[in-house]
Each structure stands twice: as structure tokens, then as C-alpha cells.
PDB file of all heavy atoms in Angstrom:
ATOM      1  N   THR A   1      -8.191  10.413  -1.289  1.00  0.00           N
ATOM      2  CA  THR A   1      -7.755   9.567  -0.186  1.00  0.00           C
ATOM      3  C   THR A   1      -6.867   8.436  -0.678  1.00  0.00           C
ATOM      4  O   THR A   1      -6.864   8.090  -1.866  1.00  0.00           O
ATOM      5  CB  THR A   1      -8.954   8.959   0.564  1.00  0.00           C
ATOM      6  OG1 THR A   1      -9.769   8.226  -0.364  1.00  0.00           O
ATOM      7  CG2 THR A   1      -9.783  10.038   1.242  1.00  0.00           C
ATOM      8  N   SER A   2      -6.144   7.858   0.251  1.00  0.00           N
ATOM      9  CA  SER A   2      -5.423   6.607   0.043  1.00  0.00           C
ATOM     10  C   SER A   2      -5.903   5.629   1.096  1.00  0.00           C
ATOM     11  O   SER A   2      -6.192   6.016   2.227  1.00  0.00           O
ATOM     12  CB  SER A   2      -3.906   6.808   0.163  1.00  0.00           C
ATOM     13  OG  SER A   2      -3.434   7.697  -0.828  1.00  0.00           O
ATOM     14  N   ILE A   3      -5.993   4.348   0.730  1.00  0.00           N
ATOM     15  CA  ILE A   3      -6.553   3.339   1.626  1.00  0.00           C
ATOM     16  C   ILE A   3      -5.613   2.145   1.679  1.00  0.00           C
ATOM     17  O   ILE A   3      -5.178   1.629   0.645  1.00  0.00           O
ATOM     18  CB  ILE A   3      -7.957   2.893   1.162  1.00  0.00           C
ATOM     19  CG1 ILE A   3      -8.882   4.116   1.068  1.00  0.00           C
ATOM     20  CG2 ILE A   3      -8.533   1.858   2.110  1.00  0.00           C
ATOM     21  CD1 ILE A   3     -10.237   3.812   0.467  1.00  0.00           C
ATOM     22  N   GLY A   4      -5.304   1.708   2.894  1.00  0.00           N
ATOM     23  CA  GLY A   4      -4.478   0.527   3.099  1.00  0.00           C
ATOM     24  C   GLY A   4      -5.194  -0.497   3.946  1.00  0.00           C
ATOM     25  O   GLY A   4      -5.784  -0.152   4.969  1.00  0.00           O
ATOM     26  N   PHE A   5      -5.150  -1.759   3.522  1.00  0.00           N
ATOM     27  CA  PHE A   5      -5.750  -2.871   4.255  1.00  0.00           C
ATOM     28  C   PHE A   5      -4.658  -3.777   4.806  1.00  0.00           C
ATOM     29  O   PHE A   5      -3.621  -3.987   4.164  1.00  0.00           O
ATOM     30  CB  PHE A   5      -6.670  -3.707   3.346  1.00  0.00           C
ATOM     31  CG  PHE A   5      -7.940  -3.022   2.931  1.00  0.00           C
ATOM     32  CD1 PHE A   5      -8.001  -2.313   1.734  1.00  0.00           C
ATOM     33  CD2 PHE A   5      -9.072  -3.097   3.723  1.00  0.00           C
ATOM     34  CE1 PHE A   5      -9.179  -1.690   1.336  1.00  0.00           C
ATOM     35  CE2 PHE A   5     -10.256  -2.480   3.332  1.00  0.00           C
ATOM     36  CZ  PHE A   5     -10.307  -1.777   2.138  1.00  0.00           C
ATOM     37  N   GLY A   6      -4.910  -4.328   5.983  1.00  0.00           N
ATOM     38  CA  GLY A   6      -3.985  -5.281   6.563  1.00  0.00           C
ATOM     39  C   GLY A   6      -4.616  -6.002   7.733  1.00  0.00           C
ATOM     40  O   GLY A   6      -5.552  -5.487   8.358  1.00  0.00           O
ATOM     41  N   PRO A   7      -4.119  -7.194   8.072  1.00  0.00           N
ATOM     42  CA  PRO A   7      -4.673  -7.946   9.208  1.00  0.00           C
ATOM     43  C   PRO A   7      -4.345  -7.334  10.564  1.00  0.00           C
ATOM     44  O   PRO A   7      -4.916  -7.726  11.568  1.00  0.00           O
ATOM     45  CB  PRO A   7      -4.033  -9.331   9.053  1.00  0.00           C
ATOM     46  CG  PRO A   7      -2.784  -9.093   8.262  1.00  0.00           C
ATOM     47  CD  PRO A   7      -3.095  -7.956   7.351  1.00  0.00           C
ATOM     48  N   THR A   8      -3.428  -6.369  10.600  1.00  0.00           N
ATOM     49  CA  THR A   8      -3.135  -5.609  11.819  1.00  0.00           C
ATOM     50  C   THR A   8      -3.144  -4.127  11.481  1.00  0.00           C
ATOM     51  O   THR A   8      -3.043  -3.735  10.315  1.00  0.00           O
ATOM     52  CB  THR A   8      -1.763  -5.981  12.410  1.00  0.00           C
ATOM     53  OG1 THR A   8      -0.723  -5.516  11.530  1.00  0.00           O
ATOM     54  CG2 THR A   8      -1.636  -7.494  12.600  1.00  0.00           C
ATOM     55  N   LYS A   9      -3.242  -3.283  12.520  1.00  0.00           N
ATOM     56  CA  LYS A   9      -3.271  -1.844  12.286  1.00  0.00           C
ATOM     57  C   LYS A   9      -1.945  -1.347  11.712  1.00  0.00           C
ATOM     58  O   LYS A   9      -1.920  -0.447  10.864  1.00  0.00           O
ATOM     59  CB  LYS A   9      -3.621  -1.103  13.576  1.00  0.00           C
ATOM     60  CG  LYS A   9      -5.026  -1.381  14.079  1.00  0.00           C
ATOM     61  CD  LYS A   9      -5.325  -0.697  15.389  1.00  0.00           C
ATOM     62  CE  LYS A   9      -5.547   0.777  15.218  1.00  0.00           C
ATOM     63  NZ  LYS A   9      -6.001   1.420  16.496  1.00  0.00           N
ATOM     64  N   THR A  10      -0.831  -1.933  12.175  1.00  0.00           N
ATOM     65  CA  THR A  10       0.474  -1.519  11.669  1.00  0.00           C
ATOM     66  C   THR A  10       0.626  -1.863  10.196  1.00  0.00           C
ATOM     67  O   THR A  10       1.163  -1.075   9.411  1.00  0.00           O
ATOM     68  CB  THR A  10       1.595  -2.164  12.498  1.00  0.00           C
ATOM     69  OG1 THR A  10       1.442  -1.793  13.878  1.00  0.00           O
ATOM     70  CG2 THR A  10       2.959  -1.715  12.021  1.00  0.00           C
ATOM     71  N   LEU A  11       0.153  -3.049   9.789  1.00  0.00           N
ATOM     72  CA  LEU A  11       0.204  -3.423   8.382  1.00  0.00           C
ATOM     73  C   LEU A  11      -0.746  -2.557   7.548  1.00  0.00           C
ATOM     74  O   LEU A  11      -0.421  -2.202   6.410  1.00  0.00           O
ATOM     75  CB  LEU A  11      -0.134  -4.901   8.212  1.00  0.00           C
ATOM     76  CG  LEU A  11       0.996  -5.885   8.526  1.00  0.00           C
ATOM     77  CD1 LEU A  11       0.475  -7.317   8.516  1.00  0.00           C
ATOM     78  CD2 LEU A  11       2.153  -5.738   7.539  1.00  0.00           C
ATOM     79  N   ALA A  12      -1.906  -2.207   8.105  1.00  0.00           N
ATOM     80  CA  ALA A  12      -2.821  -1.319   7.391  1.00  0.00           C
ATOM     81  C   ALA A  12      -2.197   0.057   7.191  1.00  0.00           C
ATOM     82  O   ALA A  12      -2.339   0.678   6.129  1.00  0.00           O
ATOM     83  CB  ALA A  12      -4.141  -1.210   8.153  1.00  0.00           C
ATOM     84  N   LYS A  13      -1.503   0.524   8.211  1.00  0.00           N
ATOM     85  CA  LYS A  13      -0.816   1.818   8.117  1.00  0.00           C
ATOM     86  C   LYS A  13       0.292   1.765   7.066  1.00  0.00           C
ATOM     87  O   LYS A  13       0.449   2.694   6.275  1.00  0.00           O
ATOM     88  CB  LYS A  13      -0.238   2.176   9.484  1.00  0.00           C
ATOM     89  CG  LYS A  13       0.385   3.554   9.567  1.00  0.00           C
ATOM     90  CD  LYS A  13      -0.613   4.656   9.721  1.00  0.00           C
ATOM     91  CE  LYS A  13       0.068   5.970  10.114  1.00  0.00           C
ATOM     92  NZ  LYS A  13      -0.807   7.116  10.082  1.00  0.00           N
ATOM     93  N   LEU A  14       1.068   0.683   7.050  1.00  0.00           N
ATOM     94  CA  LEU A  14       2.113   0.538   6.042  1.00  0.00           C
ATOM     95  C   LEU A  14       1.498   0.428   4.649  1.00  0.00           C
ATOM     96  O   LEU A  14       2.009   1.017   3.687  1.00  0.00           O
ATOM     97  CB  LEU A  14       2.969  -0.688   6.347  1.00  0.00           C
ATOM     98  CG  LEU A  14       4.123  -0.964   5.368  1.00  0.00           C
ATOM     99  CD1 LEU A  14       5.124   0.190   5.365  1.00  0.00           C
ATOM    100  CD2 LEU A  14       4.834  -2.273   5.732  1.00  0.00           C
ATOM    101  N   ALA A  15       0.406  -0.313   4.531  1.00  0.00           N
ATOM    102  CA  ALA A  15      -0.276  -0.448   3.247  1.00  0.00           C
ATOM    103  C   ALA A  15      -0.760   0.906   2.739  1.00  0.00           C
ATOM    104  O   ALA A  15      -0.719   1.192   1.541  1.00  0.00           O
ATOM    105  CB  ALA A  15      -1.449  -1.423   3.370  1.00  0.00           C
ATOM    106  N   ASN A  16      -1.207   1.753   3.645  1.00  0.00           N
ATOM    107  CA  ASN A  16      -1.638   3.089   3.256  1.00  0.00           C
ATOM    108  C   ASN A  16      -0.464   3.895   2.699  1.00  0.00           C
ATOM    109  O   ASN A  16      -0.598   4.610   1.702  1.00  0.00           O
ATOM    110  CB  ASN A  16      -2.256   3.797   4.454  1.00  0.00           C
ATOM    111  CG  ASN A  16      -2.812   5.166   4.116  1.00  0.00           C
ATOM    112  OD1 ASN A  16      -2.071   6.153   4.091  1.00  0.00           O
ATOM    113  ND2 ASN A  16      -4.091   5.230   3.853  1.00  0.00           N
ATOM    114  N   HIS A  17       0.695   3.781   3.357  1.00  0.00           N
ATOM    115  CA  HIS A  17       1.908   4.452   2.861  1.00  0.00           C
ATOM    116  C   HIS A  17       2.262   3.955   1.468  1.00  0.00           C
ATOM    117  O   HIS A  17       2.603   4.758   0.582  1.00  0.00           O
ATOM    118  CB  HIS A  17       3.063   4.182   3.825  1.00  0.00           C
ATOM    119  CG  HIS A  17       4.406   4.581   3.297  1.00  0.00           C
ATOM    120  ND1 HIS A  17       4.852   5.881   3.248  1.00  0.00           N
ATOM    121  CD2 HIS A  17       5.420   3.818   2.768  1.00  0.00           C
ATOM    122  CE1 HIS A  17       6.067   5.925   2.718  1.00  0.00           C
ATOM    123  NE2 HIS A  17       6.436   4.685   2.418  1.00  0.00           N
ATOM    124  N   VAL A  18       2.166   2.647   1.262  1.00  0.00           N
ATOM    125  CA  VAL A  18       2.464   2.071  -0.048  1.00  0.00           C
ATOM    126  C   VAL A  18       1.489   2.597  -1.092  1.00  0.00           C
ATOM    127  O   VAL A  18       1.883   2.937  -2.213  1.00  0.00           O
ATOM    128  CB  VAL A  18       2.413   0.533   0.029  1.00  0.00           C
ATOM    129  CG1 VAL A  18       2.558  -0.083  -1.364  1.00  0.00           C
ATOM    130  CG2 VAL A  18       3.509   0.010   0.954  1.00  0.00           C
ATOM    131  N   ALA A  19       0.198   2.673  -0.751  1.00  0.00           N
ATOM    132  CA  ALA A  19      -0.818   3.182  -1.678  1.00  0.00           C
ATOM    133  C   ALA A  19      -0.518   4.608  -2.107  1.00  0.00           C
ATOM    134  O   ALA A  19      -0.698   4.976  -3.272  1.00  0.00           O
ATOM    135  CB  ALA A  19      -2.207   3.092  -1.037  1.00  0.00           C
ATOM    136  N   LYS A  20      -0.048   5.439  -1.164  1.00  0.00           N
ATOM    137  CA  LYS A  20       0.312   6.819  -1.484  1.00  0.00           C
ATOM    138  C   LYS A  20       1.520   6.870  -2.407  1.00  0.00           C
ATOM    139  O   LYS A  20       1.521   7.559  -3.432  1.00  0.00           O
ATOM    140  CB  LYS A  20       0.627   7.591  -0.202  1.00  0.00           C
ATOM    141  CG  LYS A  20      -0.531   8.071   0.593  1.00  0.00           C
ATOM    142  CD  LYS A  20      -0.049   8.883   1.786  1.00  0.00           C
ATOM    143  CE  LYS A  20      -1.170   9.207   2.724  1.00  0.00           C
ATOM    144  NZ  LYS A  20      -2.167  10.085   2.158  1.00  0.00           N
ATOM    145  N   MET A  21       2.597   6.153  -2.014  1.00  0.00           N
ATOM    146  CA  MET A  21       3.847   6.237  -2.748  1.00  0.00           C
ATOM    147  C   MET A  21       3.744   5.601  -4.130  1.00  0.00           C
ATOM    148  O   MET A  21       4.356   6.085  -5.088  1.00  0.00           O
ATOM    149  CB  MET A  21       4.970   5.569  -1.946  1.00  0.00           C
ATOM    150  CG  MET A  21       5.364   6.326  -0.680  1.00  0.00           C
ATOM    151  SD  MET A  21       6.027   7.994  -1.012  1.00  0.00           S
ATOM    152  CE  MET A  21       4.612   8.988  -0.591  1.00  0.00           C
ATOM    153  N   ALA A  22       2.987   4.511  -4.243  1.00  0.00           N
ATOM    154  CA  ALA A  22       2.826   3.864  -5.546  1.00  0.00           C
ATOM    155  C   ALA A  22       2.105   4.778  -6.522  1.00  0.00           C
ATOM    156  O   ALA A  22       2.321   4.703  -7.739  1.00  0.00           O
ATOM    157  CB  ALA A  22       2.063   2.548  -5.398  1.00  0.00           C
ATOM    158  N   ASP A  23       1.262   5.652  -5.988  1.00  0.00           N
ATOM    159  CA  ASP A  23       0.534   6.603  -6.825  1.00  0.00           C
ATOM    160  C   ASP A  23       1.375   7.834  -7.129  1.00  0.00           C
ATOM    161  O   ASP A  23       1.391   8.323  -8.259  1.00  0.00           O
ATOM    162  CB  ASP A  23      -0.766   7.013  -6.124  1.00  0.00           C
ATOM    163  CG  ASP A  23      -1.673   7.855  -7.013  1.00  0.00           C
ATOM    164  OD1 ASP A  23      -1.824   7.517  -8.204  1.00  0.00           O
ATOM    165  OD2 ASP A  23      -2.243   8.843  -6.520  1.00  0.00           O
ATOM    166  N   ARG A  24       2.087   8.325  -6.117  1.00  0.00           N
ATOM    167  CA  ARG A  24       2.847   9.562  -6.273  1.00  0.00           C
ATOM    168  C   ARG A  24       4.182   9.347  -6.971  1.00  0.00           C
ATOM    169  O   ARG A  24       4.589  10.178  -7.795  1.00  0.00           O
ATOM    170  CB  ARG A  24       3.084  10.207  -4.901  1.00  0.00           C
ATOM    171  CG  ARG A  24       3.773  11.551  -4.995  1.00  0.00           C
ATOM    172  CD  ARG A  24       4.200  12.077  -3.635  1.00  0.00           C
ATOM    173  NE  ARG A  24       5.076  13.236  -3.784  1.00  0.00           N
ATOM    174  CZ  ARG A  24       5.913  13.664  -2.864  1.00  0.00           C
ATOM    175  NH1 ARG A  24       5.983  13.052  -1.693  1.00  0.00           N
ATOM    176  NH2 ARG A  24       6.684  14.716  -3.099  1.00  0.00           N
ATOM    177  N   LYS A  25       4.854   8.265  -6.660  1.00  0.00           N
ATOM    178  CA  LYS A  25       6.179   7.998  -7.216  1.00  0.00           C
ATOM    179  C   LYS A  25       6.196   6.630  -7.884  1.00  0.00           C
ATOM    180  O   LYS A  25       6.660   5.636  -7.294  1.00  0.00           O
ATOM    181  CB  LYS A  25       7.245   8.079  -6.120  1.00  0.00           C
ATOM    182  CG  LYS A  25       7.386   9.464  -5.501  1.00  0.00           C
ATOM    183  CD  LYS A  25       8.506   9.494  -4.480  1.00  0.00           C
ATOM    184  CE  LYS A  25       8.697  10.910  -3.913  1.00  0.00           C
ATOM    185  NZ  LYS A  25       9.814  10.972  -2.920  1.00  0.00           N
ATOM    186  N   PRO A  26       5.675   6.531  -9.091  1.00  0.00           N
ATOM    187  CA  PRO A  26       5.638   5.249  -9.791  1.00  0.00           C
ATOM    188  C   PRO A  26       7.028   4.628  -9.907  1.00  0.00           C
ATOM    189  O   PRO A  26       8.017   5.316 -10.161  1.00  0.00           O
ATOM    190  CB  PRO A  26       5.076   5.623 -11.172  1.00  0.00           C
ATOM    191  CG  PRO A  26       4.335   6.916 -10.953  1.00  0.00           C
ATOM    192  CD  PRO A  26       5.105   7.629  -9.889  1.00  0.00           C
ATOM    193  N   GLY A  27       7.094   3.342  -9.685  1.00  0.00           N
ATOM    194  CA  GLY A  27       8.354   2.624  -9.779  1.00  0.00           C
ATOM    195  C   GLY A  27       8.877   2.145  -8.445  1.00  0.00           C
ATOM    196  O   GLY A  27       9.601   1.147  -8.389  1.00  0.00           O
ATOM    197  N   ARG A  28       8.531   2.860  -7.360  1.00  0.00           N
ATOM    198  CA  ARG A  28       9.002   2.424  -6.054  1.00  0.00           C
ATOM    199  C   ARG A  28       8.274   1.151  -5.609  1.00  0.00           C
ATOM    200  O   ARG A  28       8.881   0.248  -5.035  1.00  0.00           O
ATOM    201  CB  ARG A  28       8.808   3.516  -5.011  1.00  0.00           C
ATOM    202  CG  ARG A  28       9.299   3.107  -3.632  1.00  0.00           C
ATOM    203  CD  ARG A  28       9.213   4.213  -2.615  1.00  0.00           C
ATOM    204  NE  ARG A  28       9.632   3.757  -1.308  1.00  0.00           N
ATOM    205  CZ  ARG A  28       9.600   4.496  -0.194  1.00  0.00           C
ATOM    206  NH1 ARG A  28       9.191   5.743  -0.252  1.00  0.00           N
ATOM    207  NH2 ARG A  28       9.993   3.987   0.963  1.00  0.00           N
ATOM    208  N   TYR A  29       6.975   1.102  -5.867  1.00  0.00           N
ATOM    209  CA  TYR A  29       6.167  -0.064  -5.556  1.00  0.00           C
ATOM    210  C   TYR A  29       5.404  -0.492  -6.804  1.00  0.00           C
ATOM    211  O   TYR A  29       5.277   0.267  -7.771  1.00  0.00           O
ATOM    212  CB  TYR A  29       5.165   0.237  -4.436  1.00  0.00           C
ATOM    213  CG  TYR A  29       5.786   0.577  -3.103  1.00  0.00           C
ATOM    214  CD1 TYR A  29       5.810   1.891  -2.649  1.00  0.00           C
ATOM    215  CD2 TYR A  29       6.322  -0.412  -2.284  1.00  0.00           C
ATOM    216  CE1 TYR A  29       6.358   2.215  -1.418  1.00  0.00           C
ATOM    217  CE2 TYR A  29       6.869  -0.102  -1.055  1.00  0.00           C
ATOM    218  CZ  TYR A  29       6.894   1.212  -0.625  1.00  0.00           C
ATOM    219  OH  TYR A  29       7.441   1.518   0.596  1.00  0.00           O
ATOM    220  N   ASP A  30       4.889  -1.707  -6.771  1.00  0.00           N
ATOM    221  CA  ASP A  30       4.060  -2.216  -7.866  1.00  0.00           C
ATOM    222  C   ASP A  30       2.868  -1.286  -8.083  1.00  0.00           C
ATOM    223  O   ASP A  30       2.195  -0.878  -7.132  1.00  0.00           O
ATOM    224  CB  ASP A  30       3.566  -3.624  -7.511  1.00  0.00           C
ATOM    225  CG  ASP A  30       2.970  -4.358  -8.713  1.00  0.00           C
ATOM    226  OD1 ASP A  30       2.125  -3.763  -9.410  1.00  0.00           O
ATOM    227  OD2 ASP A  30       3.333  -5.530  -8.945  1.00  0.00           O
ATOM    228  N   ALA A  31       2.598  -0.954  -9.342  1.00  0.00           N
ATOM    229  CA  ALA A  31       1.521  -0.021  -9.678  1.00  0.00           C
ATOM    230  C   ALA A  31       0.156  -0.524  -9.218  1.00  0.00           C
ATOM    231  O   ALA A  31      -0.768   0.280  -9.024  1.00  0.00           O
ATOM    232  CB  ALA A  31       1.500   0.230 -11.186  1.00  0.00           C
ATOM    233  N   ARG A  32       0.009  -1.841  -9.029  1.00  0.00           N
ATOM    234  CA  ARG A  32      -1.264  -2.392  -8.573  1.00  0.00           C
ATOM    235  C   ARG A  32      -1.630  -1.928  -7.160  1.00  0.00           C
ATOM    236  O   ARG A  32      -2.793  -2.007  -6.757  1.00  0.00           O
ATOM    237  CB  ARG A  32      -1.236  -3.922  -8.614  1.00  0.00           C
ATOM    238  CG  ARG A  32      -1.144  -4.514 -10.027  1.00  0.00           C
ATOM    239  CD  ARG A  32      -0.984  -6.018  -9.969  1.00  0.00           C
ATOM    240  NE  ARG A  32       0.270  -6.405  -9.315  1.00  0.00           N
ATOM    241  CZ  ARG A  32       0.626  -7.671  -9.083  1.00  0.00           C
ATOM    242  NH1 ARG A  32      -0.186  -8.659  -9.421  1.00  0.00           N
ATOM    243  NH2 ARG A  32       1.791  -7.915  -8.500  1.00  0.00           N
ATOM    244  N   HIS A  33      -0.632  -1.458  -6.397  1.00  0.00           N
ATOM    245  CA  HIS A  33      -0.864  -1.001  -5.032  1.00  0.00           C
ATOM    246  C   HIS A  33      -1.278   0.463  -4.957  1.00  0.00           C
ATOM    247  O   HIS A  33      -1.577   0.955  -3.861  1.00  0.00           O
ATOM    248  CB  HIS A  33       0.392  -1.200  -4.187  1.00  0.00           C
ATOM    249  CG  HIS A  33       0.824  -2.626  -4.031  1.00  0.00           C
ATOM    250  ND1 HIS A  33      -0.058  -3.647  -3.744  1.00  0.00           N
ATOM    251  CD2 HIS A  33       2.062  -3.191  -4.097  1.00  0.00           C
ATOM    252  CE1 HIS A  33       0.603  -4.790  -3.658  1.00  0.00           C
ATOM    253  NE2 HIS A  33       1.881  -4.551  -3.883  1.00  0.00           N
ATOM    254  N   ALA A  34      -1.310   1.167  -6.082  1.00  0.00           N
ATOM    255  CA  ALA A  34      -1.596   2.600  -6.057  1.00  0.00           C
ATOM    256  C   ALA A  34      -3.012   2.883  -5.575  1.00  0.00           C
ATOM    257  O   ALA A  34      -3.966   2.202  -5.955  1.00  0.00           O
ATOM    258  CB  ALA A  34      -1.383   3.207  -7.445  1.00  0.00           C
ATOM    259  N   GLN A  35      -3.150   3.868  -4.696  1.00  0.00           N
ATOM    260  CA  GLN A  35      -4.418   4.376  -4.161  1.00  0.00           C
ATOM    261  C   GLN A  35      -5.073   3.430  -3.159  1.00  0.00           C
ATOM    262  O   GLN A  35      -5.524   3.866  -2.101  1.00  0.00           O
ATOM    263  CB  GLN A  35      -5.396   4.719  -5.287  1.00  0.00           C
ATOM    264  CG  GLN A  35      -4.853   5.792  -6.236  1.00  0.00           C
ATOM    265  CD  GLN A  35      -5.771   6.070  -7.379  1.00  0.00           C
ATOM    266  OE1 GLN A  35      -6.774   5.399  -7.606  1.00  0.00           O
ATOM    267  NE2 GLN A  35      -5.463   7.120  -8.146  1.00  0.00           N
ATOM    268  N   VAL A  36      -5.161   2.149  -3.497  1.00  0.00           N
ATOM    269  CA  VAL A  36      -5.718   1.155  -2.573  1.00  0.00           C
ATOM    270  C   VAL A  36      -4.774  -0.038  -2.536  1.00  0.00           C
ATOM    271  O   VAL A  36      -4.547  -0.691  -3.556  1.00  0.00           O
ATOM    272  CB  VAL A  36      -7.131   0.701  -2.992  1.00  0.00           C
ATOM    273  CG1 VAL A  36      -7.652  -0.358  -2.018  1.00  0.00           C
ATOM    274  CG2 VAL A  36      -8.090   1.888  -3.042  1.00  0.00           C
ATOM    275  N   CYS A  37      -4.239  -0.345  -1.364  1.00  0.00           N
ATOM    276  CA  CYS A  37      -3.290  -1.444  -1.206  1.00  0.00           C
ATOM    277  C   CYS A  37      -3.794  -2.398  -0.133  1.00  0.00           C
ATOM    278  O   CYS A  37      -4.109  -1.973   0.983  1.00  0.00           O
ATOM    279  CB  CYS A  37      -1.901  -0.907  -0.836  1.00  0.00           C
ATOM    280  SG  CYS A  37      -0.669  -2.188  -0.471  1.00  0.00           S
ATOM    281  N   HIS A  38      -3.858  -3.683  -0.454  1.00  0.00           N
ATOM    282  CA  HIS A  38      -4.330  -4.704   0.477  1.00  0.00           C
ATOM    283  C   HIS A  38      -3.196  -5.697   0.731  1.00  0.00           C
ATOM    284  O   HIS A  38      -3.027  -6.666  -0.013  1.00  0.00           O
ATOM    285  CB  HIS A  38      -5.552  -5.422  -0.108  1.00  0.00           C
ATOM    286  CG  HIS A  38      -6.281  -6.310   0.845  1.00  0.00           C
ATOM    287  ND1 HIS A  38      -5.781  -6.672   2.102  1.00  0.00           N
ATOM    288  CD2 HIS A  38      -7.494  -6.948   0.744  1.00  0.00           C
ATOM    289  CE1 HIS A  38      -6.631  -7.455   2.712  1.00  0.00           C
ATOM    290  NE2 HIS A  38      -7.682  -7.623   1.928  1.00  0.00           N
ATOM    291  N   LEU A  39      -2.429  -5.461   1.784  1.00  0.00           N
ATOM    292  CA  LEU A  39      -1.322  -6.357   2.091  1.00  0.00           C
ATOM    293  C   LEU A  39      -1.811  -7.695   2.617  1.00  0.00           C
ATOM    294  O   LEU A  39      -1.106  -8.697   2.506  1.00  0.00           O
ATOM    295  CB  LEU A  39      -0.384  -5.710   3.117  1.00  0.00           C
ATOM    296  CG  LEU A  39       0.487  -4.556   2.596  1.00  0.00           C
ATOM    297  CD1 LEU A  39       1.376  -4.024   3.710  1.00  0.00           C
ATOM    298  CD2 LEU A  39       1.354  -5.013   1.427  1.00  0.00           C
ATOM    299  N   GLY A  40      -3.013  -7.716   3.185  1.00  0.00           N
ATOM    300  CA  GLY A  40      -3.554  -8.974   3.683  1.00  0.00           C
ATOM    301  C   GLY A  40      -3.891  -9.945   2.579  1.00  0.00           C
ATOM    302  O   GLY A  40      -3.904 -11.170   2.801  1.00  0.00           O
ATOM    303  N   ALA A  41      -4.181  -9.432   1.375  1.00  0.00           N
ATOM    304  CA  ALA A  41      -4.526 -10.284   0.245  1.00  0.00           C
ATOM    305  C   ALA A  41      -3.340 -10.561  -0.675  1.00  0.00           C
ATOM    306  O   ALA A  41      -3.453 -11.358  -1.598  1.00  0.00           O
ATOM    307  CB  ALA A  41      -5.657  -9.647  -0.561  1.00  0.00           C
ATOM    308  N   ALA A  42      -2.207  -9.898  -0.433  1.00  0.00           N
ATOM    309  CA  ALA A  42      -1.030 -10.073  -1.280  1.00  0.00           C
ATOM    310  C   ALA A  42      -0.362 -11.419  -0.992  1.00  0.00           C
ATOM    311  O   ALA A  42      -0.374 -11.896   0.147  1.00  0.00           O
ATOM    312  CB  ALA A  42      -0.041  -8.932  -1.049  1.00  0.00           C
ATOM    313  N   ASP A  43       0.218 -12.033  -2.022  1.00  0.00           N
ATOM    314  CA  ASP A  43       0.929 -13.283  -1.804  1.00  0.00           C
ATOM    315  C   ASP A  43       2.291 -13.010  -1.176  1.00  0.00           C
ATOM    316  O   ASP A  43       2.693 -11.862  -0.994  1.00  0.00           O
ATOM    317  CB  ASP A  43       1.080 -14.075  -3.104  1.00  0.00           C
ATOM    318  CG  ASP A  43       1.791 -13.279  -4.211  1.00  0.00           C
ATOM    319  OD1 ASP A  43       2.680 -12.447  -3.892  1.00  0.00           O
ATOM    320  OD2 ASP A  43       1.471 -13.505  -5.400  1.00  0.00           O
ATOM    321  N   ARG A  44       2.979 -14.062  -0.825  1.00  0.00           N
ATOM    322  CA  ARG A  44       4.242 -13.938  -0.105  1.00  0.00           C
ATOM    323  C   ARG A  44       5.255 -13.099  -0.879  1.00  0.00           C
ATOM    324  O   ARG A  44       5.930 -12.230  -0.323  1.00  0.00           O
ATOM    325  CB  ARG A  44       4.819 -15.333   0.162  1.00  0.00           C
ATOM    326  CG  ARG A  44       6.199 -15.348   0.842  1.00  0.00           C
ATOM    327  CD  ARG A  44       6.103 -14.999   2.295  1.00  0.00           C
ATOM    328  NE  ARG A  44       7.379 -15.064   2.981  1.00  0.00           N
ATOM    329  CZ  ARG A  44       7.844 -16.166   3.574  1.00  0.00           C
ATOM    330  NH1 ARG A  44       7.112 -17.297   3.585  1.00  0.00           N
ATOM    331  NH2 ARG A  44       9.004 -16.160   4.199  1.00  0.00           N
TER     332      ARG A  44
END
């Protein structure tokens, strides 16, 4: 599975996409977001 967290459903959905892509295609997103991404806890 991939899991995305966010203060809204749309942000959670986007976070889930980031978690997938960071795991599947390293380099597109920060590796820390792979598999589990929490946009609500990320800094600006």
C-alpha cells in the first residue's frame, strides 16, 4: 500500500500520489515521502 496524510481529502489524495511516485520513481520527490507521505506535517 501507499498512504497519504493531509488536512483535507484532496491533500491526502495528492500525498498518496507523492508516496507512490517517490517510491516508484526516485528523484521526482524527496525520498522521505516514499510509501508514507504526510503533507500536513511538512514545512512550507
Side-chain angles (χ1 to χ4, degrees):
T1 57
S2 298
I3 303 173
F5 290 93
T8 69
K9 294 177 75 173
T10 302
L11 281 172
K13 186 79 167 171
L14 180 62
N16 184 276
H17 169 77
V18 173
K20 281 183 189 294
M21 291 298 103
D23 188 43
R24 185 189 169 201
K25 296 183 177 181
R28 181 176 177 183
Y29 296 105
D30 193 311
R32 293 174 297 177
H33 297 315
Q35 300 177 352
V36 179
C37 175
H38 191 349
L39 288 181
D43 57 33
R44 176 75 177 270

